[in-house]
Amino acid sequence: MSINRTVLTAELMLLSATLFWGISFPLMKHALTMLPPLALIGWRFVVALLVLLPWTWAGLRNSGKHTARHGLILEVVMFLSFWLVIIGLRS
């Protein structure tokens, strides 16, 4: 049985995403012992920005105001959801 290389790559990427997502909860719980929730979320977003910026810079420069507005709305929703998760981890 031959496995398609594209399918294998996709499955490995899904496995990696699941692994990182699962590891993030204990790491965030530990980080809460050193940082307040809003600082932790802020640093998490800054690190994500620095990691993803090289791959997204060209698309960001070419996007219009409509895309930027929707991106900002999604960012606020993500920030609030992370904040609620972090508050839940504190208890």
Side-chain angles (χ1 to χ4, degrees), residues 5-27:
R5 187 178 183 102
T6 305
V7 172
L8 181 62
T9 301
E11 288 180 356
L12 288 175
M13 291 176 84
L14 283 171
L15 181 64
S16 298
T18 304
L19 181 69
F20 285 122
W21 180 78
I23 288 172
S24 71
F25 283 99
L27 289 177

Side-chain angles (χ1 to χ4, degrees), residues 1 5-7 17 19 21 24 33 35 53 56 58 61-62 66 76 81 84 86 89:
M1 181 160 105
R5 187 178 183 102
T6 305
V7 172
L19 181 69
W21 180 78
S24 71
T33 62
L35 292 171
L53 196 59
T56 59
R61 284 193 333 220
N62 298 330
H66 183 74
V76 169
S81 66
L84 291 174
I86 295 292
L89 285 173

Side-chain angles (χ1 to χ4, degrees), residues 38-74:
L38 289 178
L40 178 61
I41 297 167
W43 279 109
R44 187 173 179 163
F45 275 54
V46 167
V47 169
L49 171 72
L50 294 175
V51 168
L52 296 174
L53 196 59
W55 289 281
T56 59
W57 182 250
L60 288 173
R61 284 193 333 220
N62 298 330
S63 65
K65 289 181 182 178
H66 183 74
T67 304
R69 185 173 359 137
H70 283 112
L72 181 62
I73 291 169
L74 287 173

